[in-house]
Amino acid sequence: MAIMNICGSHSTVSLIINAYRRAANLSIHFSCIKRSKRFVHNLPCSYYTPKKAYIFSYLFCRKYYSVILNPPYSIVGCSVHHHGDSGTTYTISKQQANENKFLSDLCYAHSCTQVFKLLSSLEVFTDTMAAAALLKVAQVETKDGILTNPRKVFDNMIFKAICLQFEQESKNLSTAGIVNALKAFVQLRVDPWSNLMVRLLSESQERAEKGEMNIQYLCMLGRCLLEIEGPECAMLKPVMDQVLQKKINDWTPEEIAMVYGLLQAGLGEKGQYQGLLNQMHEATVSKASQMNPTLISSILTALVDLKQTQALPLVINLCKNSIRCMPHFTDEELVNVIVALTNFGHSDKYFTEALERHVPRMVFTMSPELVSRVMEYCSKRLILSKPIFDAVAESFVYNSENCTTLQIAQQIIPFGELNYLPPNAASMFRRLEKILSSRFSQFQPQILLKLLHSCILLERFPVNFVAKIFSPYFIQQLQDNAVGGHSDRYTSKDQSGNVDKFVLALLTQLFLTVSLECPFYEGPRLLPKYRVKSFSASGQSLETMVDVHLYNRVKSGLIDLLGARMYFASHVLSPYCYTLDVEIKLDEEGFVLAASSHEEVHRRIALCIDGQKRFCSNTHKLLGKESIKQRHLRLLGYEVIQVFFIFQIPFYEFDNLSYKEEIVEYLHKKIFPHTYRLNW
């Protein structure tokens, strides 16, 4: 470890000049990173912008800053004064410094000025302390990867002197000092072809090839190389060769997470290092119990980004261990965990119970993104959790102003999808109505449509906004958004340029709802050309397909009950877009007619054979889309005079029937409760 000594001296300029002369005579041949127009180097000023787009995706629109001297005696972007300059120099010393106190004090620095002031207050400090200070500068002075005030950093004499010392003494620096400094300079966008960066990279390469770096430093070096040149960087191969030589079972949980992060950053693309990943999955399962919340979150995020669908056993194990960490997750970490579980399609009873304890207690201080992700997780996994839903509904009334339009939709739509009205439903929908009135134009069209559709599932009718939805302007917006862009569970894309069929189905059901349940509505109607003929479709659908196994059992029972297959029809598309699982026709006297009969039909009986997928996963409550279907069929029966009797045959009742006689008796009581059963 090198120690740097601070001392005021009037020989600063001569020291800098001599350093430059020595640097100018050095060969900067660097075998692993080739010179290319793709890099910006030796910038004339701190705000240089390339005229041609030579920088590939990893460097696109980035600004690099040169901090090494150009002739005669200037630092790029600033000037060095010669006369009367009492600059500061840093020399290697054997003295020890109190690193722990320095690092503790560094945590309270909120600007580069404070960091440099802290450094100047020390007589001596190590290279690792200097590197930590540079990392802190990068942290406080960059926003979204962009240096907010380059001159404030690069004009500082302490910063210049540290850069000079790292350049001159690269071979004497500790590995920790080199790697951390390199990371800081990359974050500060220092020119990768400056003498400083070339020497640090060259020394890092040499130490990596000699096997002098542990997993932590190899991963940090790899991340720096990815930032500079991307996955094609030749120097990454010796780095990964060293990683592969290490025994995975000897890695600490922190080292495992760092390697996952390195592969996630770009090295694991296109199935590269899949063998290493498979070994890591297996080793991580046994170490999951030792991991803290940060490690669990980062590994789950890496598994999602690397598309490791075969790593479900590891995901399940990490999910179990995340339960104990629930109170200790930051909002961002818990978001990553929930997104990963949603992505892998995994839900756990005990994880849900942990959320039910955590969310009601913290919901008013949670970030809107976390609340939205929790609701999205419940919706996608069909988990109706009353403690979570009630807490979110209560917080929505007070915190919705802090939410984006997408977050508002993510929090409200699950109530409709899972068919649940919270105790404060009136307050929640009043709040939603105010938001829609003031921010209507801010909503993405498909998200807005899905939001309003979720309201009608709960018999809350957005009549004040329906006229805008059915307007030609809104339909045109849907068409304009039909091609390109990102598609998720709230938006659908159709590459033909037409409105997606699922979107048209939402419009049709909204129109049907207004027609049936809002007779006072007199605004615009949905044009016939935008109405679908069936709500059933592959992929996203407003109807859940009937469970085949349950249907076959019901069909056999109906044949025994009615005497023949000809007396009922299956999968019947009604004139009102809904598909009936089973339809039975009766004449005026109540006798069963053949399914093919079209005359003398006085009544129709529609059987809804509701399998497990039509209910919330943890309750016997119908999903919103199934509930509105049965509600509409009843209304349609009275509307057209032909009475539709809707009989629900839920799986949890039918599964308890084992014998033929029990099934027939059950169906008779369900369909013909007031008639005597005939024996065939």
Side-chain angles (χ1 to χ4, degrees):
M1 177 183 293
I3 295 184
M4 299 180 177
N5 181 38
I6 303 181
C7 59
S9 171
H10 291 287
S11 62
T12 304
V13 174
S14 61
L15 176 62
I16 295 176
I17 294 172
N18 291 333
Y20 177 79
R21 287 172 178 169
R22 289 196 301 271
N25 292 327
L26 289 175
S27 170
I28 58 171
H29 172 69
F30 195 44
S31 60
C32 291
I33 298 184
K34 307 296 182 183
R35 283 190 176 274
S36 169
K37 290 182 180 179
R38 293 178 295 182
F39 294 99
V40 180
H41 57 89
N42 292 329
L43 306 187
C45 69
S46 296
Y47 295 95
Y48 174 84
T49 303
K51 294 182 178 180
K52 297 184 179 180
Y54 289 124
I55 305 174
F56 58 80
S57 60
Y58 277 83
L59 303 175
F60 185 71
C61 290
R62 292 181 178 173
K63 295 178 181 178
Y64 284 102
Y65 307 97
S66 178
V67 295
I68 306 305
L69 295 179
N70 282 335
Y73 315 115
S74 65
I75 291 179
V76 175
C78 61
S79 60
V80 177
H81 300 282
H82 303 278
H83 303 289
D85 179 16
S86 59
T88 313
T89 63
Y90 296 80
T91 58
I92 303 300
S93 171
K94 294 183 180 180
Q95 301 179 41
Q96 293 295 324
N98 189 347
E99 287 195 41
N100 290 337
K101 185 178 185 308
F102 173 78
L103 295 176
S104 177
D105 293 341
L106 197 61
C107 294
Y108 297 100
H110 301 294
S111 69
C112 67
T113 303
Q114 293 177 351
V115 174
F116 294 137
K117 183 178 180 180
L118 180 61
L119 280 174
S120 64
S121 68
L122 302 174
E123 291 185 2
V124 292
F125 54 84
T126 64
D127 58 345
T128 54
M129 292 168 66
L134 292 173
L135 282 171
K136 186 66 176 180
V137 169
Q139 177 188 341
V140 298
E141 295 295 336
T142 57
K143 184 177 181 180
D144 299 326
I146 299 174
L147 194 58
T148 54
N149 191 345
R151 289 187 177 276
K152 185 178 179 182
V153 177
F154 296 126
D155 283 3
N156 188 281
M157 288 304 298
I158 295 179
F159 178 81
K160 298 174 189 177
I162 290 176
C163 292
L164 179 64
Q165 188 71 35
F166 272 98
E167 178 187 340
Q168 289 181 325
E169 304 292 343
S170 59
K171 291 190 176 296
N172 298 324
L173 300 173
S174 66
T175 301
I178 287 180
V179 175
N180 281 291
L182 192 59
K183 178 180 178 181
F185 290 138
V186 168
Q187 292 177 1
L188 291 170
R189 300 291 180 252
V190 173
D191 176 9
W193 281 111
S194 63
N195 286 340
L196 169 65
M197 291 292 283
V198 169
R199 288 191 179 189
L200 290 179
L201 286 168
S202 179
E203 183 63 27
S204 300
Q205 179 187 13
E206 184 178 341
R207 296 189 189 190
E209 291 175 345
K210 289 180 179 179
E212 297 179 3
M213 288 190 178
N214 60 22
I215 290 293
Q216 177 186 357
Y217 298 141
L218 287 170
C219 290
M220 292 176 66
L221 175 59
R223 295 292 288 267
C224 292
L225 294 171
L226 283 168
E227 282 290 319
I228 293 173
E229 194 172 351
E232 303 304 321
C233 178
M235 189 176 165
L236 283 167
K237 188 178 185 308
V239 171
M240 288 307 298
D241 288 343
Q242 289 296 321
V243 171
L244 291 170
Q245 289 178 19
K246 310 286 186 182
K247 293 182 179 180
I248 295 179
N249 291 329
D250 295 337
W251 295 359
T252 65
E254 290 77 12
E255 289 173 337
I256 289 174
M258 292 192 77
V259 177
Y260 270 119
L262 177 59
L263 296 172
Q264 175 192 8
L267 281 182
E269 293 179 351
K270 301 177 182 178
Q272 295 184 83
Y273 300 104
Q274 187 59 53
L276 173 62
L277 280 168
N278 292 337
Q279 295 178 45
M280 290 172 60
H281 298 337
E282 186 177 346
T284 307
V285 170
S286 62
K287 296 180 183 290
S289 59
Q290 307 170 30
M291 293 185 173
N292 60 35
T294 302
L295 297 181
I296 291 174
S297 172
S298 64
I299 291 176
L300 282 171
T301 302
L303 293 175
V304 172
D305 292 345
L306 292 168
K307 298 180 174 58
Q308 297 296 296
T309 54
Q310 78 283 3
L312 190 57
L314 174 57
V315 173
I316 294 172
N317 200 291
L318 291 172
C319 175
K320 290 180 179 178
N321 283 279
S322 66
I323 296 171
R324 62 178 168 80
C325 300
M326 187 67 70
H328 309 294
F329 280 119
T330 65
D331 283 2
E332 184 179 357
E333 289 168 351
L334 189 51
V335 165
N336 292 337
V337 171
I338 291 173
V339 167
L341 295 181
T342 304
N343 185 275
F344 283 101
H346 176 68
S347 57
D348 181 272
K349 173 186 175 183
Y350 300 105
F351 181 82
T352 302
E353 290 175 353
L355 279 178
E356 289 176 341
R357 293 189 296 269
H358 182 69
V359 172
R361 183 165 54 90
M362 304 297 296
V363 68
F364 284 95
T365 57
M366 281 181 174
S367 67
E369 180 66 13
L370 176 55
V371 176
S372 302
R373 291 297 184 175
V374 169
M375 293 299 286
E376 187 179 26
Y377 165 76
C378 290
S379 176
K380 199 164 185 180
R381 302 305 301 158
L382 303 181
I383 300 171
L384 176 54
S385 170
K386 292 184 179 180
I388 292 176
F389 278 50
D390 291 348
V392 171
E394 189 69 27
S395 83
F396 181 82
V397 175
Y398 298 99
N399 296 335
S400 55
E401 283 299 326
N402 300 323
C403 299
T404 65
T405 54
L406 176 59
Q407 290 167 347
I408 290 169
Q410 288 173 326
Q411 292 182 28
I412 296 298
I413 288 174
F415 286 94
E417 291 181 333
L418 301 187
N419 192 24
Y420 179 70
L421 277 173
N424 70 327
S427 301
M428 185 181 77
F429 282 104
R430 276 198 302 271
R431 186 62 184 159
L432 178 61
E433 185 175 6
K434 289 181 180 178
I435 292 172
L436 289 174
S437 298
S438 61
R439 302 172 65 180
F440 188 90
S441 61
Q442 299 175 20
F443 282 85
Q444 200 270 349
Q446 289 192 23
I447 293 175
L448 177 61
L449 176 59
K450 195 76 170 66
L451 178 59
L452 297 181
H453 179 266
S454 69
C455 294
I456 67 171
L457 298 179
L458 295 170
E459 298 184 75
R460 297 298 187 270
F461 311 112
V463 181
N464 294 339
F465 308 101
V466 168
K468 296 181 180 179
I469 296 297
F470 293 154
S471 69
Y473 174 72
F474 188 82
I475 301 296
Q476 183 62 47
Q477 283 186 306
L478 290 174
Q479 289 176 328
D480 292 342
N481 285 274
V483 179
H486 173 67
S487 177
D488 55 28
R489 68 187 302 261
Y490 293 112
T491 58
S492 303
K493 303 296 181 185
D494 186 336
Q495 297 304 316
S496 66
N498 299 318
V499 181
D500 184 81
K501 289 184 179 179
F502 178 69
V503 174
L504 293 178
L506 293 175
L507 285 169
T508 304
Q509 193 169 58
L510 185 60
F511 168 72
L512 185 60
T513 301
V514 171
S515 301
L516 291 174
E517 303 183 71
C518 305
F520 51 86
Y521 174 74
E522 297 180 353
R525 303 278 169 167
L526 183 65
L527 297 177
K529 66 179 181 179
Y530 297 122
R531 303 176 196 171
V532 298
K533 295 182 179 180
S534 173
F535 290 141
S536 292
S538 57
Q540 285 184 303
S541 175
L542 294 182
E543 291 184 289
T544 306
M545 299 297 292
V546 66
D547 182 280
V548 177
H549 176 68
L550 183 59
Y551 166 75
N552 288 333
R553 294 185 67 196
V554 172
K555 182 177 72 172
S556 299
L558 285 174
I559 292 173
D560 293 331
L561 175 65
L562 302 178
R565 177 66 178 82
M566 62 179 289
Y567 292 112
F568 65 91
S570 303
H571 311 301
V572 179
L573 178 61
S574 73
Y576 310 103
C577 308
Y578 292 109
T579 300
L580 311 180
D581 298 330
V582 171
E583 183 186 49
I584 300 173
K585 298 176 181 178
L586 305 178
D587 64 13
E588 190 172 358
E589 297 180 3
F591 291 104
V592 178
L593 299 173
S596 58
S597 299
H598 297 289
E599 300 177 357
E600 300 181 356
V601 178
H602 182 69
R603 303 188 323 187
R604 299 173 187 266
I605 297 175
L607 267 64
C608 294
I609 305 173
D610 295 326
Q612 193 166 4
K613 291 183 179 180
R614 294 184 179 179
F615 293 85
C616 299
S617 63
N618 58 333
T619 69
H620 292 160
K621 191 174 185 66
L622 274 176
L623 298 176
K625 62 182 179 180
E626 301 302 327
S627 178
I628 193 175
K629 173 182 177 178
Q630 296 186 16
R631 190 172 83 233
H632 280 181
L633 287 175
R634 291 190 180 95
L635 291 172
L636 285 166
Y638 293 109
E639 179 81 11
V640 295
I641 302 176
Q642 294 177 316
V643 181
F644 280 76
F645 290 90
I646 313 302
F647 292 99
Q648 184 185 5
I649 303 179
F651 75 97
Y652 53 86
E653 291 182 5
F654 206 80
D655 282 351
N656 295 327
L657 307 177
S658 303
Y659 302 103
K660 174 181 174 181
E661 281 298 318
E662 291 179 336
I663 294 175
V664 174
E665 186 66 27
Y666 171 85
L667 291 173
H668 180 264
K669 289 180 180 179
K670 274 281 184 180
I671 303 172
F672 306 109
H674 305 297
T675 60
Y676 180 75
R677 179 188 158 203
L678 298 176
N679 293 319
W680 307 104

